[in-house]
Amino acid sequence: MAGDVGRCKLDHMSLHPSLQPIFDTVLHRNPGESEFHQAVQEVLHSLGPVVDKHPEYLELSMFERLCEPERQIIFRVPWIDEQGVVHINRAFRVEFNSSLGPYKGGLRFHPSVNLGIVKFLGFEQIFKNSITGLPIGGGKGGSDFDPKGRTDLEIMRFCQSFMLELYRHIGEYRDVPAGDIGVGGREIGYMFGQYKRITNQYEAGVLTGKGLSYGGSMVRTEATGYGLVYFLKDMLGAAKKTLDGRSVVISGSGNVAVYAAEKVEAFGGRVIALSDSGGFIHDPDGIDLEIVKQIKFVDRGRISEYVTRRGGRATYHEGGNVWRLEADVALPCATQNELDEDDAKSLVAGGVIAVAEGANMPCTPGAVKVFSEAGVLFAPGKAANAGGVATSALEMQQNASRDAWHFDFTEARLAEIMGDVHDSCAAAADEYGSPGDYVAGANIAGFIRVSEAMLAQGVV
């Protein structure tokens, strides 16, 4: 897995001359935030043709304004474990841009969380939310709290303490958090209960990813994974290819990975690998998803347990690299910068025809370059994994109207939105001289929509 962001950055000289000073300022004002730098550089790299066609964006400092969050909140979270030991964690909420609507983006609980990680995620969220066409701005948050190995009681105590500060900054018309790594339905439930207790009001739209019994949306659990495969299917279709009969490797084994695998199977593909932080499983006969769901969602176990329960030709590779397997399609669904240049070369040598990002920025710039030069279809996360936030926005609609939609209707809306996302990315890439480049298309389409809104609202 890749962790060295610095060695795989895009060449600074590849930026438009008018954008290079802007990126230099971002580096100077945000020292040490390598993931944020990487995310900003990737977007700026795509926007050269936009500068040439719309010099007014440069004249009105649109790029600088988008690179600076509207608000950054840092606070401590004290809590007591079951042995009576007091712990202090650090937490963040970066409210990046509200031009299109209330800030919208998940909360991540993981030891790696810091301000730079949250800013990178929030910056990506601006463009992701923009290209959905829905009225939501971009933000992100989280804490360096590690829920792994903690009891339900300890997690509840942490979530309640976390909300004691966060509640001041959120609301259905202000900022609407959701889940992310380490934050699922359990954590959202604890936070929603504490928010209700503090504010003495039942504001269902303040959080998304809620349980179905108290305002949650059908398909929300499946949405990111399903949406990823809908985008993949459309991307393959535009190239006159299908998923039918294709072998697929997927990193991760959480909601995104598992439900992406489920939808791959529905479209005729065969998932042969999943992973977690310990290693990966390889099942050439096709992963049995019911076994995986039991292990990960019911027993909260490790993916290695799959081999014992499955039998047959399934194998477990402790500490192994899932990207060294041969497959037609790769779906990185674990974390940022997990697939590097060497991994990309291995996948290309193994015959990969398409890569779609289920996680946020899981492919390093070097990997993306390898895929591009090899003619591999590539879908960036800000477009391909937009199904999660799109369905969160649908949950907000249902909460606002005191309504509940059934599963099939909500999934149909998800499929429609992902089709629109694909088409808008493809159209923007065509219009600005990069046909078939979904990275450029996603960045340009997202940038133009949010910039037009910012221009209409003045310098605020």
Side-chain angles (χ1 to χ4, degrees):
M1 301 295 177
D4 187 356
V5 177
R7 68 181 173 87
C8 58
K9 280 186 177 180
L10 293 169
D11 184 350
H12 286 197
M13 296 302 292
S14 65
L15 293 181
H16 189 284
S18 298
L19 298 177
Q20 183 62 53
I22 296 170
F23 182 61
D24 291 341
T25 299
V26 169
L27 292 175
H28 176 72
R29 297 183 71 175
N30 304 275
E33 298 175 356
S34 56
E35 291 85 0
F36 178 52
H37 302 160
Q38 181 183 343
V40 171
Q41 190 177 39
E42 186 238 279
V43 170
L44 293 180
H45 179 254
S46 300
L47 297 181
V50 179
V51 172
D52 292 333
K53 191 170 183 178
H54 296 283
E56 68 273 17
Y57 291 149
L58 200 62
E59 295 162 5
L60 292 168
S61 300
M62 300 306 302
F63 304 95
E64 293 93 334
R65 289 157 66 184
L66 270 171
C67 291
E68 187 67 27
E70 293 175 6
R71 191 172 293 103
Q72 301 179 63
I73 303 153
I74 304 176
F75 57 97
R76 71 177 185 183
V77 183
W79 61 281
I80 303 173
D81 68 21
E82 293 204 54
Q83 285 69 49
V85 177
V86 176
H87 298 263
I88 304 294
N89 284 96
R90 181 174 289 177
F92 310 86
R93 188 67 181 174
V94 174
E95 297 174 333
F96 228 113
N97 191 284
S98 59
S99 298
L100 295 174
Y103 307 106
K104 187 83 193 76
L107 298 168
R108 176 176 293 190
F109 291 170
H110 191 273
S112 67
V113 169
N114 56 43
L115 183 59
I117 293 285
V118 174
K119 284 168 70 175
F120 128 63
L121 293 168
F123 183 75
E124 289 277 291
Q125 201 77 41
I126 299 170
F127 303 94
K128 180 187 303 186
N129 294 0
S130 175
I131 59 178
T132 66
L134 299 168
I136 43 178
K140 206 77 176 185
S143 172
D144 59 5
F145 170 73
D146 188 357
K148 189 179 296 182
R150 293 295 177 184
T151 66
D152 285 353
L153 180 59
E154 289 172 329
I155 290 171
M156 182 181 73
R157 286 172 176 166
F158 175 83
C159 289
Q160 290 177 340
S161 183
F162 180 80
M163 187 53 73
L164 278 172
E165 175 61 33
L166 186 67
Y167 90 94
R168 310 170 194 275
H169 311 288
I170 63 175
E172 63 179 319
Y173 299 110
R174 180 185 302 172
D175 185 350
V176 183
D180 191 25
I181 294 172
V183 178
R186 172 182 56 178
E187 291 75 17
I188 293 293
Y190 292 150
M191 286 187 275
F192 181 75
Q194 184 75 335
Y195 181 87
K196 181 165 60 73
R197 180 185 184 192
I198 295 168
T199 62
N200 191 31
Q201 59 184 12
Y202 199 101
E203 189 182 335
V206 71
L207 290 164
T208 59
K210 301 183 294 297
L212 296 178
S213 62
Y214 62 102
S217 172
M218 291 281 192
V219 193
R220 181 59 191 90
T221 302
E222 298 87 352
T224 306
Y226 279 15
L228 170 66
V229 181
Y230 279 125
F231 191 99
L232 170 66
K233 178 175 174 287
D234 288 343
M235 181 173 70
L236 287 169
K240 306 211 177 331
K241 303 177 188 292
T242 72
L243 258 175
D244 193 40
R246 305 287 188 186
S247 58
V248 181
V249 293
I250 302 177
S251 65
S253 50
N255 283 341
V256 179
V258 169
Y259 290 109
E262 186 172 280
K263 191 55 71 174
V264 164
E265 291 184 353
F267 288 135
R270 177 171 50 93
V271 178
I272 61 171
L274 290 169
S275 70
D276 64 14
S277 58
F280 72 88
I281 54 170
H282 178 214
D283 191 343
D285 299 318
I287 297 290
D288 186 325
L289 287 178
E290 293 309 310
I291 294 176
V292 174
K293 289 178 182 179
Q294 178 66 36
I295 293 169
K296 301 301 291 187
F297 301 157
V298 179
D299 301 337
R300 296 185 182 272
R302 306 298 293 169
I303 199 67
S304 58
E305 299 170 27
Y306 175 88
V307 174
T308 303
R309 302 193 195 188
R310 171 65 160 166
R313 296 197 292 162
T315 55
Y316 175 66
H317 303 263
E318 184 175 359
N321 188 337
V322 71
W323 309 123
R324 300 310 161 98
L325 294 174
E326 292 186 1
D328 299 315
V329 175
L331 304 179
C333 296
T335 191
Q336 66 269 6
N337 291 315
E338 61 169 292
L339 196 163
D340 65 15
E341 184 175 351
D342 291 338
D343 299 331
K345 290 177 179 177
S346 179
L347 286 168
V348 169
V352 73
I353 64 166
V355 177
E357 294 185 322
N360 293 304
M361 205 170 70
C363 297
T364 66
V368 177
K369 183 179 180 182
V370 169
F371 293 138
S372 176
E373 291 176 348
V376 174
L377 295 169
F378 180 78
K382 63 170 61 72
N385 71 28
V389 74
T391 307
S392 282
L394 299 182
E395 182 176 331
M396 292 166 65
Q397 290 181 24
Q398 293 171 78
N399 293 158
S401 62
R402 300 294 192 267
D403 200 359
W405 304 340
H406 58 72
F407 191 99
D408 291 343
F409 177 82
T410 308
E411 186 180 356
R413 287 284 291 119
L414 170 64
E416 179 184 4
I417 291 167
M418 293 309 297
D420 291 343
V421 170
H422 171 272
D423 293 348
S424 66
C425 292
D430 286 344
E431 181 181 350
Y432 285 87
S434 301
D437 186 341
Y438 288 93
V439 175
N443 288 332
I444 291 169
F447 172 82
I448 288 177
R449 181 167 183 253
V450 74
S451 294
E452 288 300 309
M454 292 172 70
L455 287 173
Q457 295 167 28
V459 180
V460 293

Short mmCIF file of all heavy atoms in Angstrom, two decimals, residues 204-261:
data_model
loop_
_atom_site.label_atom_id
_atom_site.label_comp_id
_atom_site.label_asym_id
_atom_site.label_seq_id
_atom_site.Cartn_x
_atom_site.Cartn_y
_atom_site.Cartn_z
N ALA A 204 -34.77 15.83 12.52
CA ALA A 204 -34.32 14.61 11.83
C ALA A 204 -33.27 14.89 10.78
O ALA A 204 -32.37 14.07 10.55
CB ALA A 204 -35.51 13.90 11.21
N GLY A 205 -33.34 16.05 10.11
CA GLY A 205 -32.43 16.35 9.02
C GLY A 205 -31.05 16.80 9.44
O GLY A 205 -30.24 17.15 8.58
N VAL A 206 -30.73 16.79 10.73
CA VAL A 206 -29.44 17.27 11.19
C VAL A 206 -28.32 16.27 10.92
O VAL A 206 -27.15 16.64 10.83
CB VAL A 206 -29.48 17.64 12.68
CG1 VAL A 206 -29.60 16.38 13.55
CG2 VAL A 206 -28.26 18.45 13.09
N LEU A 207 -28.63 14.99 10.82
CA LEU A 207 -27.66 13.93 10.53
C LEU A 207 -28.27 12.99 9.50
O LEU A 207 -29.49 12.75 9.52
CB LEU A 207 -27.31 13.13 11.78
CG LEU A 207 -26.47 13.82 12.86
CD1 LEU A 207 -26.57 13.03 14.17
CD2 LEU A 207 -25.02 13.93 12.43
N THR A 208 -27.46 12.43 8.63
CA THR A 208 -27.94 11.40 7.73
C THR A 208 -27.17 10.10 7.99
O THR A 208 -26.13 10.10 8.62
CB THR A 208 -27.81 11.82 6.26
OG1 THR A 208 -26.44 12.10 5.96
CG2 THR A 208 -28.67 13.03 5.96
N GLY A 209 -27.75 9.02 7.46
CA GLY A 209 -27.23 7.70 7.80
C GLY A 209 -27.90 7.14 9.04
O GLY A 209 -27.39 6.23 9.68
N LYS A 210 -29.07 7.70 9.38
CA LYS A 210 -29.81 7.27 10.57
C LYS A 210 -30.45 5.91 10.34
O LYS A 210 -30.61 5.46 9.21
CB LYS A 210 -30.88 8.32 10.90
CG LYS A 210 -30.34 9.71 11.18
CD LYS A 210 -31.43 10.68 11.58
CE LYS A 210 -32.42 10.95 10.46
NZ LYS A 210 -31.81 11.60 9.29
N GLY A 211 -30.86 5.28 11.43
CA GLY A 211 -31.59 4.03 11.35
C GLY A 211 -32.97 4.24 10.73
O GLY A 211 -33.56 5.33 10.82
N LEU A 212 -33.49 3.19 10.12
CA LEU A 212 -34.78 3.30 9.44
C LEU A 212 -35.92 3.59 10.42
O LEU A 212 -36.94 4.14 10.03
CB LEU A 212 -35.08 2.00 8.68
CG LEU A 212 -34.13 1.68 7.52
CD1 LEU A 212 -34.52 0.35 6.89
CD2 LEU A 212 -34.14 2.79 6.48
N SER A 213 -35.74 3.25 11.68
CA SER A 213 -36.80 3.45 12.66
C SER A 213 -36.95 4.91 13.08
O SER A 213 -37.94 5.28 13.71
CB SER A 213 -36.55 2.58 13.90
OG SER A 213 -35.32 2.95 14.53
N TYR A 214 -35.98 5.77 12.74
CA TYR A 214 -36.09 7.16 13.17
C TYR A 214 -35.61 8.14 12.09
O TYR A 214 -34.90 9.09 12.34
CB TYR A 214 -35.34 7.41 14.49
CG TYR A 214 -33.84 7.17 14.46
CD1 TYR A 214 -32.96 8.24 14.37
CD2 TYR A 214 -33.31 5.90 14.50
CE1 TYR A 214 -31.60 8.05 14.34
CE2 TYR A 214 -31.95 5.68 14.48
CZ TYR A 214 -31.09 6.76 14.40
OH TYR A 214 -29.73 6.56 14.37
N GLY A 215 -36.05 7.89 10.85
CA GLY A 215 -35.83 8.88 9.81
C GLY A 215 -34.76 8.56 8.79
O GLY A 215 -34.46 9.38 7.93
N GLY A 216 -34.17 7.36 8.87
CA GLY A 216 -33.16 6.98 7.89
C GLY A 216 -33.76 6.65 6.54
O GLY A 216 -34.97 6.47 6.39
N SER A 217 -32.89 6.56 5.54
CA SER A 217 -33.33 6.31 4.18
C SER A 217 -32.99 4.89 3.74
O SER A 217 -31.89 4.39 4.00
CB SER A 217 -32.65 7.30 3.22
OG SER A 217 -32.91 6.97 1.88
N MET A 218 -33.94 4.25 3.09
CA MET A 218 -33.65 2.99 2.42
C MET A 218 -32.49 3.21 1.43
O MET A 218 -32.39 4.27 0.82
CB MET A 218 -34.87 2.50 1.64
CG MET A 218 -36.03 2.04 2.51
SD MET A 218 -35.73 0.38 3.13
CE MET A 218 -37.35 -0.01 3.79
N VAL A 219 -31.64 2.25 1.31
CA VAL A 219 -30.52 2.21 0.36
C VAL A 219 -29.30 2.99 0.87
O VAL A 219 -28.23 2.89 0.29
CB VAL A 219 -30.89 2.70 -1.07
CG1 VAL A 219 -29.83 2.36 -2.10
CG2 VAL A 219 -32.21 2.10 -1.53
N ARG A 220 -29.42 3.76 1.97
CA ARG A 220 -28.25 4.55 2.41
C ARG A 220 -27.06 3.65 2.71
O ARG A 220 -25.93 3.99 2.36
CB ARG A 220 -28.61 5.40 3.64
CG ARG A 220 -27.43 6.25 4.13
CD ARG A 220 -26.95 7.20 3.05
NE ARG A 220 -25.68 7.85 3.37
CZ ARG A 220 -24.49 7.38 3.06
NH1 ARG A 220 -24.37 6.22 2.44
NH2 ARG A 220 -23.40 8.06 3.37
N THR A 221 -27.28 2.52 3.35
CA THR A 221 -26.17 1.62 3.66
C THR A 221 -25.49 1.11 2.39
O THR A 221 -24.27 1.00 2.31
CB THR A 221 -26.67 0.42 4.48
OG1 THR A 221 -27.29 0.91 5.68
CG2 THR A 221 -25.53 -0.51 4.86
N GLU A 222 -26.28 0.83 1.39
CA GLU A 222 -25.76 0.26 0.15
C GLU A 222 -25.30 1.32 -0.86
O GLU A 222 -24.64 1.00 -1.86
CB GLU A 222 -26.86 -0.58 -0.53
CG GLU A 222 -27.34 -1.77 0.27
CD GLU A 222 -28.49 -1.43 1.24
OE1 GLU A 222 -28.79 -0.22 1.40
OE2 GLU A 222 -29.06 -2.35 1.84
N ALA A 223 -25.65 2.58 -0.62
CA ALA A 223 -25.62 3.60 -1.68
C ALA A 223 -24.25 3.83 -2.30
O ALA A 223 -24.14 3.92 -3.53
CB ALA A 223 -26.16 4.92 -1.13
N THR A 224 -23.20 3.95 -1.49
CA THR A 224 -21.89 4.26 -2.08
C THR A 224 -21.41 3.11 -2.96
O THR A 224 -20.93 3.32 -4.08
CB THR A 224 -20.86 4.56 -0.99
OG1 THR A 224 -21.36 5.61 -0.14
CG2 THR A 224 -19.54 5.00 -1.60
N GLY A 225 -21.56 1.89 -2.46
CA GLY A 225 -21.15 0.73 -3.25
C GLY A 225 -21.99 0.54 -4.49
O GLY A 225 -21.47 0.29 -5.59
N TYR A 226 -23.31 0.64 -4.35
CA TYR A 226 -24.19 0.52 -5.51
C TYR A 226 -23.89 1.62 -6.53
O TYR A 226 -23.79 1.37 -7.74
CB TYR A 226 -25.65 0.64 -5.07
CG TYR A 226 -26.29 -0.61 -4.51
CD1 TYR A 226 -25.52 -1.71 -4.10
CD2 TYR A 226 -27.67 -0.71 -4.37
CE1 TYR A 226 -26.12 -2.85 -3.59
CE2 TYR A 226 -28.27 -1.85 -3.86
CZ TYR A 226 -27.51 -2.91 -3.46
OH TYR A 226 -28.10 -4.03 -2.95
N GLY A 227 -23.77 2.86 -6.04
CA GLY A 227 -23.52 3.98 -6.94
C GLY A 227 -22.21 3.83 -7.69
O GLY A 227 -22.12 4.19 -8.88
N LEU A 228 -21.20 3.32 -7.01
CA LEU A 228 -19.91 3.07 -7.64
C LEU A 228 -20.06 2.17 -8.86
O LEU A 228 -19.51 2.44 -9.94
CB LEU A 228 -18.96 2.43 -6.62
CG LEU A 228 -17.63 1.88 -7.14
CD1 LEU A 228 -16.75 3.01 -7.65
CD2 LEU A 228 -16.93 1.10 -6.03
N VAL A 229 -20.84 1.12 -8.71
CA VAL A 229 -20.99 0.16 -9.80
C VAL A 229 -21.91 0.69 -10.88
O VAL A 229 -21.72 0.40 -12.07
CB VAL A 229 -21.44 -1.21 -9.26
CG1 VAL A 229 -21.58 -2.23 -10.38
CG2 VAL A 229 -20.45 -1.72 -8.22
N TYR A 230 -22.90 1.50 -10.52
CA TYR A 230 -23.70 2.17 -11.55
C TYR A 230 -22.82 3.05 -12.42
O TYR A 230 -22.95 3.07 -13.66
CB TYR A 230 -24.81 3.00 -10.92
CG TYR A 230 -26.04 2.22 -10.51
CD1 TYR A 230 -26.53 2.27 -9.21
CD2 TYR A 230 -26.72 1.42 -11.43
CE1 TYR A 230 -27.66 1.56 -8.83
CE2 TYR A 230 -27.85 0.70 -11.06
CZ TYR A 230 -28.31 0.77 -9.76
OH TYR A 230 -29.42 0.05 -9.40
N PHE A 231 -21.92 3.81 -11.79
CA PHE A 231 -21.02 4.66 -12.56
C PHE A 231 -20.10 3.81 -13.42
O PHE A 231 -19.87 4.10 -14.61
CB PHE A 231 -20.19 5.55 -11.63
CG PHE A 231 -19.44 6.64 -12.35
CD1 PHE A 231 -19.93 7.93 -12.40
CD2 PHE A 231 -18.24 6.37 -12.99
CE1 PHE A 231 -19.25 8.94 -13.07
CE2 PHE A 231 -17.55 7.37 -13.68
CZ PHE A 231 -18.05 8.66 -13.71
N LEU A 232 -19.53 2.75 -12.84
CA LEU A 232 -18.66 1.84 -13.58
C LEU A 232 -19.37 1.26 -14.80
O LEU A 232 -18.81 1.21 -15.90
CB LEU A 232 -18.19 0.71 -12.65
CG LEU A 232 -17.46 -0.47 -13.29
CD1 LEU A 232 -16.12 -0.03 -13.86
CD2 LEU A 232 -17.28 -1.59 -12.26
N LYS A 233 -20.61 0.84 -14.60
CA LYS A 233 -21.40 0.26 -15.69
C LYS A 233 -21.58 1.28 -16.82
O LYS A 233 -21.45 0.95 -18.01
CB LYS A 233 -22.75 -0.20 -15.16
CG LYS A 233 -23.70 -0.79 -16.20
CD LYS A 233 -24.96 -1.33 -15.52
CE LYS A 233 -25.99 -1.79 -16.52
NZ LYS A 233 -26.66 -0.66 -17.19
N ASP A 234 -21.90 2.54 -16.46
CA ASP A 234 -22.08 3.57 -17.47
C ASP A 234 -20.77 3.88 -18.19
O ASP A 234 -20.75 4.11 -19.40
CB ASP A 234 -22.64 4.84 -16.83
CG ASP A 234 -24.10 4.70 -16.42
OD1 ASP A 234 -24.76 3.77 -16.91
OD2 ASP A 234 -24.57 5.52 -15.62
N MET A 235 -19.68 3.90 -17.42
CA MET A 235 -18.37 4.18 -18.03
C MET A 235 -17.98 3.07 -19.00
O MET A 235 -17.50 3.34 -20.11
CB MET A 235 -17.31 4.32 -16.93
CG MET A 235 -15.91 4.63 -17.44
SD MET A 235 -14.73 4.99 -16.11
CE MET A 235 -14.56 3.35 -15.36
N LEU A 236 -18.20 1.83 -18.61
CA LEU A 236 -17.93 0.71 -19.51
C LEU A 236 -18.85 0.77 -20.73
O LEU A 236 -18.42 0.53 -21.87
CB LEU A 236 -18.13 -0.62 -18.77
CG LEU A 236 -17.06 -1.00 -17.76
CD1 LEU A 236 -17.53 -2.18 -16.91
CD2 LEU A 236 -15.74 -1.35 -18.45
N GLY A 237 -20.11 1.11 -20.49
CA GLY A 237 -21.07 1.19 -21.59
C GLY A 237 -20.68 2.23 -22.62
O GLY A 237 -20.84 2.02 -23.83
N ALA A 238 -20.14 3.38 -22.15
CA ALA A 238 -19.72 4.43 -23.07
C ALA A 238 -18.56 3.96 -23.95
O ALA A 238 -18.37 4.45 -25.06
CB ALA A 238 -19.31 5.68 -22.29
N ALA A 239 -17.81 2.97 -23.43
CA ALA A 239 -16.70 2.39 -24.20
C ALA A 239 -17.11 1.10 -24.90
O ALA A 239 -16.27 0.35 -25.37
CB ALA A 239 -15.51 2.12 -23.28
N LYS A 240 -18.44 0.85 -24.90
CA LYS A 240 -19.01 -0.33 -25.54
C LYS A 240 -18.49 -1.63 -24.92
O LYS A 240 -18.18 -2.61 -25.61
CB LYS A 240 -18.75 -0.31 -27.06
CG LYS A 240 -19.23 0.97 -27.74
CD LYS A 240 -19.66 0.72 -29.15
CE LYS A 240 -20.22 1.95 -29.86
NZ LYS A 240 -20.85 2.95 -29.01
N LYS A 241 -18.40 -1.63 -23.60
CA LYS A 241 -18.02 -2.82 -22.83
C LYS A 241 -19.07 -3.06 -21.76
O LYS A 241 -19.90 -2.19 -21.48
CB LYS A 241 -16.65 -2.64 -22.17
CG LYS A 241 -15.51 -2.31 -23.14
CD LYS A 241 -14.21 -2.08 -22.38
CE LYS A 241 -13.11 -1.55 -23.29
NZ LYS A 241 -12.67 -2.55 -24.28
N THR A 242 -19.05 -4.24 -21.14
CA THR A 242 -19.98 -4.56 -20.05
C THR A 242 -19.23 -5.20 -18.90
O THR A 242 -18.06 -5.59 -19.02
CB THR A 242 -21.09 -5.52 -20.52
OG1 THR A 242 -20.52 -6.83 -20.73
CG2 THR A 242 -21.76 -5.03 -21.80
N LEU A 243 -19.93 -5.35 -17.78
CA LEU A 243 -19.38 -6.06 -16.63
C LEU A 243 -19.58 -7.57 -16.72
O LEU A 243 -18.94 -8.32 -15.99
CB LEU A 243 -20.07 -5.56 -15.34
CG LEU A 243 -19.31 -4.57 -14.47
CD1 LEU A 243 -20.21 -4.11 -13.32
CD2 LEU A 243 -18.04 -5.19 -13.91
N ASP A 244 -20.43 -8.00 -17.58
CA ASP A 244 -20.79 -9.41 -17.66
C ASP A 244 -19.56 -10.29 -17.87
O ASP A 244 -18.81 -10.11 -18.83
CB ASP A 244 -21.79 -9.61 -18.80
CG ASP A 244 -22.44 -10.99 -18.74
OD1 ASP A 244 -22.75 -11.45 -17.64
OD2 ASP A 244 -22.62 -11.60 -19.81
N GLY A 245 -19.35 -11.23 -16.94
CA GLY A 245 -18.25 -12.17 -17.04
C GLY A 245 -16.90 -11.63 -16.60
O GLY A 245 -15.90 -12.36 -16.63
N ARG A 246 -16.84 -10.39 -16.16
CA ARG A 246 -15.56 -9.79 -15.77
C ARG A 246 -15.16 -10.21 -14.35
O ARG A 246 -16.01 -10.31 -13.45
CB ARG A 246 -15.65 -8.27 -15.80
CG ARG A 246 -16.10 -7.67 -17.12
CD ARG A 246 -15.04 -7.77 -18.18
NE ARG A 246 -15.42 -7.03 -19.38
CZ ARG A 246 -14.73 -7.03 -20.50
NH1 ARG A 246 -13.59 -7.72 -20.59
NH2 ARG A 246 -15.15 -6.34 -21.56
N SER A 247 -13.87 -10.42 -14.14
CA SER A 247 -13.34 -10.66 -12.80
C SER A 247 -13.03 -9.32 -12.14
O SER A 247 -12.53 -8.40 -12.80
CB SER A 247 -12.09 -11.53 -12.85
OG SER A 247 -11.09 -10.92 -13.66
N VAL A 248 -13.31 -9.21 -10.85
CA VAL A 248 -13.20 -7.93 -10.15
C VAL A 248 -12.47 -8.13 -8.82
O VAL A 248 -12.81 -9.04 -8.05
CB VAL A 248 -14.60 -7.33 -9.88
CG1 VAL A 248 -14.48 -5.98 -9.18
CG2 VAL A 248 -15.38 -7.18 -11.19
N VAL A 249 -11.48 -7.28 -8.54
CA VAL A 249 -10.84 -7.25 -7.23
C VAL A 249 -11.25 -5.97 -6.52
O VAL A 249 -11.31 -4.90 -7.13
CB VAL A 249 -9.30 -7.36 -7.31
CG1 VAL A 249 -8.88 -8.73 -7.81
CG2 VAL A 249 -8.71 -6.27 -8.17
N ILE A 250 -11.53 -6.09 -5.23
CA ILE A 250 -12.01 -4.96 -4.43
C ILE A 250 -11.20 -4.90 -3.15
O ILE A 250 -11.02 -5.92 -2.48
CB ILE A 250 -13.51 -5.11 -4.09
CG1 ILE A 250 -14.35 -5.23 -5.37
CG2 ILE A 250 -13.99 -3.93 -3.26
CD1 ILE A 250 -15.83 -5.45 -5.12
N SER A 251 -10.73 -3.72 -2.79
CA SER A 251 -10.08 -3.55 -1.48
C SER A 251 -11.12 -3.11 -0.46
O SER A 251 -12.08 -2.42 -0.80
CB SER A 251 -8.95 -2.52 -1.56
OG SER A 251 -9.45 -1.24 -1.85
N GLY A 252 -10.91 -3.52 0.78
CA GLY A 252 -11.85 -3.21 1.84
C GLY A 252 -12.87 -4.33 1.99
O GLY A 252 -12.97 -5.23 1.14
N SER A 253 -13.62 -4.27 3.09
CA SER A 253 -14.69 -5.23 3.32
C SER A 253 -15.77 -4.61 4.19
O SER A 253 -16.49 -5.31 4.91
CB SER A 253 -14.15 -6.52 3.96
OG SER A 253 -13.34 -6.23 5.09
N GLY A 254 -15.88 -3.29 4.14
CA GLY A 254 -16.95 -2.58 4.82
C GLY A 254 -18.14 -2.41 3.90
O GLY A 254 -18.26 -3.09 2.87
N ASN A 255 -19.00 -1.46 4.24
CA ASN A 255 -20.21 -1.26 3.45
C ASN A 255 -19.94 -0.99 1.98
O ASN A 255 -20.59 -1.56 1.10
CB ASN A 255 -21.03 -0.10 4.03
CG ASN A 255 -21.79 -0.46 5.28
OD1 ASN A 255 -22.00 -1.64 5.55
ND2 ASN A 255 -22.18 0.53 6.05
N VAL A 256 -19.00 -0.10 1.70
CA VAL A 256 -18.74 0.27 0.31
C VAL A 256 -18.30 -0.95 -0.50
O VAL A 256 -18.84 -1.25 -1.57
CB VAL A 256 -17.69 1.39 0.21
CG1 VAL A 256 -17.44 1.75 -1.26
CG2 VAL A 256 -18.14 2.62 0.99
N ALA A 257 -17.31 -1.67 0.02
CA ALA A 257 -16.77 -2.83 -0.70
C ALA A 257 -17.81 -3.93 -0.87
O ALA A 257 -17.98 -4.49 -1.96
CB ALA A 257 -15.54 -3.36 0.03
N VAL A 258 -18.51 -4.25 0.21
CA VAL A 258 -19.44 -5.38 0.17
C VAL A 258 -20.62 -5.10 -0.77
O VAL A 258 -21.02 -5.96 -1.57
CB VAL A 258 -19.93 -5.72 1.59
CG1 VAL A 258 -21.11 -6.69 1.55
CG2 VAL A 258 -18.79 -6.31 2.41
N TYR A 259 -21.15 -3.88 -0.70
CA TYR A 259 -22.31 -3.59 -1.54
C TYR A 259 -21.91 -3.29 -2.99
O TYR A 259 -22.71 -3.50 -3.91
CB TYR A 259 -23.17 -2.51 -0.92
CG TYR A 259 -23.87 -3.04 0.31
CD1 TYR A 259 -23.51 -2.62 1.59
CD2 TYR A 259 -24.83 -4.04 0.20
CE1 TYR A 259 -24.11 -3.16 2.72
CE2 TYR A 259 -25.44 -4.58 1.32
CZ TYR A 259 -25.08 -4.14 2.58
OH TYR A 259 -25.67 -4.68 3.70
N ALA A 260 -20.67 -2.86 -3.19
CA ALA A 260 -20.16 -2.80 -4.56
C ALA A 260 -20.07 -4.21 -5.13
O ALA A 260 -20.47 -4.46 -6.27
CB ALA A 260 -18.79 -2.13 -4.59
N ALA A 261 -19.57 -5.13 -4.32
CA ALA A 261 -19.48 -6.53 -4.76
C ALA A 261 -20.86 -7.10 -5.08
O ALA A 261 -21.05 -7.81 -6.07
CB ALA A 261 -18.80 -7.37 -3.68
#
